[in-house]
Amino acid sequence: MNTPGRITLHDKSFEINIPERQLLQASEILGARISADYKDKKPLFLAILNGAFMFAADLMKEINIPCEISFLRVSSYQDMYSTGQVTEVIGLKEDIRNRHIIILEDIVDTGHTVYALLQNLITKEPASIKIATLLLKPDCVQHPLQVKYIGKSIPNDFVVGYGLDYNGLGRNLRDIYKVIAD
Ligand code: IMP
Ligand code: MG
């Protein structure tokens, strides 16, 4: 049985949480802010795959200044010779030296991913580097991160849809859904 506004992915049920209309509104507001802040700076957006693809597409339509976009992946793995997580940046072809960089993320949770990416990109000497995320879980962030552009802050719930997945499923959903505790 399907209840309206509810879906099941793998073993979990989700209910609608943020409708598409609000997600598009968030992109509209962020797009206007970024366009004003980066006038004459020809920013390079770096969108993090897979999750940020839908946010990146809608945000880009709201940017009305000259800009570029590229997509990259961040993969983290356990180094066999140390205890730390190693984060590798895959797919960055552009020379970012002296460029104004805006990282596009779907969600900042602990902040591990975006923090590690920042440390990596800073060594390539960009002119500036800022983070834009559709969603932020402020109670979960574990790093000294300044997230300049936030679409929406949310509580510590697991969410899917609009690019975000639960074990591969749910990225195609137009709206954001949150898990229903069982
Ligand atoms: P972080 O490194 O903990 O900030 O989280 C990084 C990545 O985990 C995000 O880019 C997402 O891909 C994924 N993630 C974190 N929270 C959620 C969630 O609630 N739903 C789906 N993916 C999530
Ligand atoms: Mg992601």
Side-chain angles (χ1 to χ4, degrees):
M1 193 186 68
N2 260 342
T3 316
R6 286 205 175 189
I7 49 154
T8 300
L9 302 172
H10 299 295
D11 57 336
K12 293 197 189 302
S13 297
F14 296 83
E15 64 188 3
I16 199 153
N17 185 226
I18 312 172
E20 182 183 31
R21 175 176 29 85
Q22 281 182 32
L23 300 169
L24 295 175
Q25 247 166 30
S27 277
E28 213 177 296
I29 292 165
L30 290 182
R33 275 181 61 200
I34 293 171
S35 297
D37 292 352
Y38 285 83
K39 195 170 172 287
D40 303 322
K41 288 188 171 167
K42 203 173 69 177
L44 169 61
F45 292 92
L46 295 178
I48 308 182
L49 294 171
N50 292 322
F53 78 95
M54 224 179 256
F55 171 51
D58 285 332
L59 179 69
M60 289 305 282
K61 292 180 235 171
E62 304 294 340
I63 303 293
N64 56 22
I65 55 167
C67 64
E68 294 176 41
I69 184 166
S70 190
F71 294 82
L72 53 82
R73 252 170 224 285
V74 178
S75 122
S76 69
Y77 56 92
Q78 205 74 37
D79 183 348
M80 281 198 296
Y81 305 101
S82 76
T83 47
Q85 279 293 106
V86 179
T87 301
E88 193 184 9
V89 177
I90 305 163
L92 180 63
K93 302 278 189 305
E94 285 73 14
D95 181 6
I96 67 166
R97 192 156 188 273
N98 294 331
R99 295 295 307 268
H100 293 282
I101 304 298
I102 304 167
I103 296 173
L104 300 183
E105 249 295 30
D106 50 356
I107 186 165
V108 174
D109 185 329
T110 63
H112 291 326
T113 309
V114 86
Y115 186 76
L117 178 61
L118 268 180
Q119 303 313 306
N120 180 300
L121 296 182
I122 282 167
T123 65
K124 303 181 197 298
E125 302 179 348
S128 69
I129 183 160
K130 299 284 182 226
I131 304 161
T133 187
L134 176 68
L135 302 175
L136 173 80
K137 294 182 184 172
D139 299 341
C140 301
V141 180
Q142 295 174 19
H143 296 274
L145 271 180
Q146 286 200 338
V147 183
K148 179 150 188 191
Y149 302 103
I150 301 164
K152 199 169 165 46
S153 291
I154 60 167
N156 184 16
D157 296 314
F158 187 78
V159 292
V160 296
Y162 197 72
L164 290 103
D165 73 308
Y166 170 47
N167 287 346
L169 293 182
R171 295 193 195 278
N172 54 312
L173 298 165
R174 287 174 175 272
D175 312 289
I176 299 254
Y177 291 72
K178 74 171 181 184
V179 73
I180 301 170
D182 38 27

